[in-house]
Amino acid sequence: MPYFTKLLLLIFCLALLVESRKHRRRRWTSQDVRRARHVSKKNEDLTKSFKGKTEQLLRIDKHDFSMRPAFGGPAIPVGVDVQVESLDSISEVNMDFTMTLFLRHYWKDERLSFSSTNNKSRTFDGRLVKKIWVPDVFFVHSKRSFIHGTTTENIMLRVFPDGHVLYSMRVTVTAMCNMDFSRFPLDSQTCSLELESYAYTDEDLMLYWKNGNESLKTGEKLSLSQFLIQKFHTTSRLAFYSSTGWYNRLYINFTLHRHIFFFLLQTYFPATLMVMLSWVSFWIDRRAVPARVSLGITTVLTMSTIITGVNASMPRVSYIKAVDIYLWVSFVFVFLSVLEYAAVNYLTTVQERKERKLRERFSCSCGIPHSKTMTLDGNYSESDANSLAGYTRNQMVPEEENPEKVVVHLAMSNESNSSRKRGLRGHVGLRIIQNTHAIDKYSRLIFPGTYIVFNLIYWSVFS
């Protein structure tokens, strides 16, 4: 029996617990309903409370919006601010830049004022813009511009109860930029985007930056692959047209500094290597004509290709650029190395012709008993020098005072001793030198030294 009583008490407790939960659920549901009703009253759908159209709310049909606000009175002030979304490209060939930005206008038009209990603004899209007056701002020196239209036209119009208007649009514009390439690619360029009213002079419309330099904002990730964006700033001034008068003009100025590393890899290093490669011919035997000629022609053609490639991506300006100075001086060094071998080859040919004539003249050594003729050049052996040991210094008749090749006529003599051998060997060692022309020797020092001095002057001036 006690167990049966405990079981009944347990069942009774469970029933009370279930009933309490049902009652609590019903109470929370009623609270949610009351809260929803309160929110719906707070955020009332104005499209249902106002039975007329937007044109009736703003009284568009009662005013002539083809005229500016306060027509006939003082100039209407129109504030402007800009947020630069991206700087898309900089073209040196076309001398222009492409920029995407949010352009916002602020002015007051009392004709658009309306009564409001909560003093909140009304926001509209681009369909209403065509029915009211908006500033006719355009981009001076622009080549192309358009308002983005995906998924709908990117235009926003916000009207406040007191008649203040905010007009915003998302625009991409390609404008001209006058660039100076005299220091290219070690240059900095300053470009500007100019805004101006097309029809209204400064007597009718006063265009100004709404918050000074704070009116221009830029994105945090604004960057270019070839340029470093140094700074953005705003200015304003009056522009005069002889036929129409004075206009307020706003400027968005930005400075770009070009990255040099790309041009070091693509232009300066290859040009320097070609110049150094042309110096290799100074260490090649002057009798190896095919090797030296092919090396010189290859370096000249490579320098021509580098110069052509650089100029293909640049506008055809009438002044000399910094990269032109470097490339053309390098080209001159390469070309001079070819001319140097031409001079060496010509002088060598002249010398050999003279030696041939002298050998023919002294081919018959009359009056000298047991005469012997030898031709000694840089490719002599020790046995050749030892074979001269039996001849005195006076018995040697040099054909020409030539440091490259010595042709001597040796007369046989019965007198030979160790002192004469030592004296003759010293004389032959002074007269017989390596088979390298003197011009090549000097070029090995003059060409590199001059090119190093040129590089020091160039980078100190343009960097």
Side-chain angles (χ1 to χ4, degrees), residues 69-92:
F71 182 78
I76 175 175
V78 177
V80 176
D81 68 35
V82 171
Q83 181 175 350
V84 180
E85 182 182 6
S86 64
L87 193 57
D88 302 324
S89 63
I90 306 291
S91 176
E92 290 87 358

Side-chain angles (χ1 to χ4, degrees), residues 157-252:
L157 185 69
R158 183 170 295 169
V159 182
F160 294 85
D162 58 353
H164 282 88
V165 182
L166 166 60
Y167 175 44
S168 176
M169 65 182 74
R170 182 168 175 255
V171 186
T172 294
V173 57
T174 300
M176 182 180 64
C177 178
N178 293 321
M179 301 181 184
D180 182 16
F181 297 107
S182 58
R183 299 177 64 89
F184 176 87
L186 305 168
D187 58 332
S188 296
Q189 303 294 340
T190 300
C191 300
S192 62
L193 184 63
E194 306 171 12
L195 296 87
E196 182 182 308
S197 173
Y198 188 82
Y200 298 100
T201 63
D202 61 338
E203 297 178 354
D204 292 323
L205 189 147
M206 184 180 66
L207 205 63
Y208 69 98
W209 289 112
K210 189 174 185 297
N211 298 313
N213 281 331
E214 298 297 327
S215 302
L216 180 61
K217 303 292 184 181
T218 58
E220 297 179 356
K221 298 181 180 180
L222 190 63
S223 63
L224 289 170
S225 60
Q226 192 175 341
F227 291 92
L228 173 65
I229 303 175
Q230 292 184 331
K231 62 178 180 178
F232 276 84
H233 66 280
T234 61
T235 56
S236 61
R237 65 186 66 176
L238 290 175
F240 177 73
Y241 297 92
S242 59
S243 57
T244 54
W246 295 89
Y247 294 82
N248 294 110
R249 182 177 294 182
L250 306 180
Y251 295 82
I252 302 174

Side-chain angles (χ1 to χ4, degrees), residues 153-350:
E153 198 172 22
N154 297 170
I155 294 178
M156 185 268 289
L157 185 69
R158 183 170 295 169
V159 182
F160 294 85
D162 58 353
H164 282 88
V165 182
L166 166 60
Y167 175 44
S168 176
M169 65 182 74
R170 182 168 175 255
V171 186
T172 294
V173 57
T174 300
M176 182 180 64
C177 178
N178 293 321
M179 301 181 184
D180 182 16
F181 297 107
S182 58
R183 299 177 64 89
F184 176 87
L186 305 168
D187 58 332
S188 296
Q189 303 294 340
T190 300
C191 300
S192 62
L193 184 63
E194 306 171 12
L195 296 87
E196 182 182 308
S197 173
Y198 188 82
Y200 298 100
T201 63
D202 61 338
E203 297 178 354
D204 292 323
L205 189 147
M206 184 180 66
L207 205 63
Y208 69 98
W209 289 112
K210 189 174 185 297
N211 298 313
N213 281 331
E214 298 297 327
S215 302
L216 180 61
K217 303 292 184 181
T218 58
E220 297 179 356
K221 298 181 180 180
L222 190 63
S223 63
L224 289 170
S225 60
Q226 192 175 341
F227 291 92
L228 173 65
I229 303 175
Q230 292 184 331
K231 62 178 180 178
F232 276 84
H233 66 280
T234 61
T235 56
S236 61
R237 65 186 66 176
L238 290 175
F240 177 73
Y241 297 92
S242 59
S243 57
T244 54
W246 295 89
Y247 294 82
N248 294 110
R249 182 177 294 182
L250 306 180
Y251 295 82
I252 302 174
N253 304 307
F254 56 95
T255 303
L256 305 172
H257 182 71
R258 194 183 306 273
H259 294 301
I260 186 60
F261 188 72
F262 172 81
F263 295 94
L264 288 177
L265 293 179
Q266 298 295 325
T267 303
Y268 286 96
F269 285 166
T272 303
L273 292 178
M274 286 301 104
V275 174
M276 297 174 64
L277 183 61
S278 66
W279 300 338
V280 176
S281 63
F282 302 150
W283 277 266
I284 299 177
D285 191 350
R286 61 192 175 97
R287 292 173 297 184
V289 177
R292 296 190 66 164
V293 170
S294 61
L295 181 61
I297 297 300
T298 301
T299 53
V300 168
L301 293 178
T302 305
M303 284 301 305
S304 301
T305 303
I306 295 175
I307 294 174
T308 304
V310 171
N311 291 329
S313 60
M314 295 295 298
R316 298 178 180 178
V317 295
S318 59
Y319 50 85
I320 299 176
K321 304 182 289 293
V323 68
D324 293 335
I325 296 175
Y326 193 90
L327 291 180
W328 279 105
V329 171
S330 300
F331 182 83
V332 168
F333 271 89
V334 172
F335 188 73
L336 287 178
S337 66
V338 178
L339 294 182
E340 185 271 346
Y341 177 63
V344 169
N345 188 55
Y346 173 75
L347 294 177
T348 302
T349 304
V350 171

Side-chain angles (χ1 to χ4, degrees), residues 414-457:
N414 294 327
E415 298 179 357
S416 60
N417 50 46
S418 61
S419 62
R420 290 180 179 178
K421 290 180 181 180
R422 288 192 298 268
L424 181 60
R425 288 179 181 177
H427 180 74
V428 173
L430 292 175
R431 297 298 305 274
I432 302 175
I433 62 175
Q434 295 180 352
N435 188 20
T436 303
H437 202 276
I439 298 179
D440 282 340
K441 281 188 173 182
Y442 294 133
S443 298
R444 295 172 187 174
L445 299 177
I446 294 175
F447 274 73
T450 307
Y451 195 69
I452 291 173
V453 171
F454 161 72
N455 273 274
L456 293 176
I457 296 175

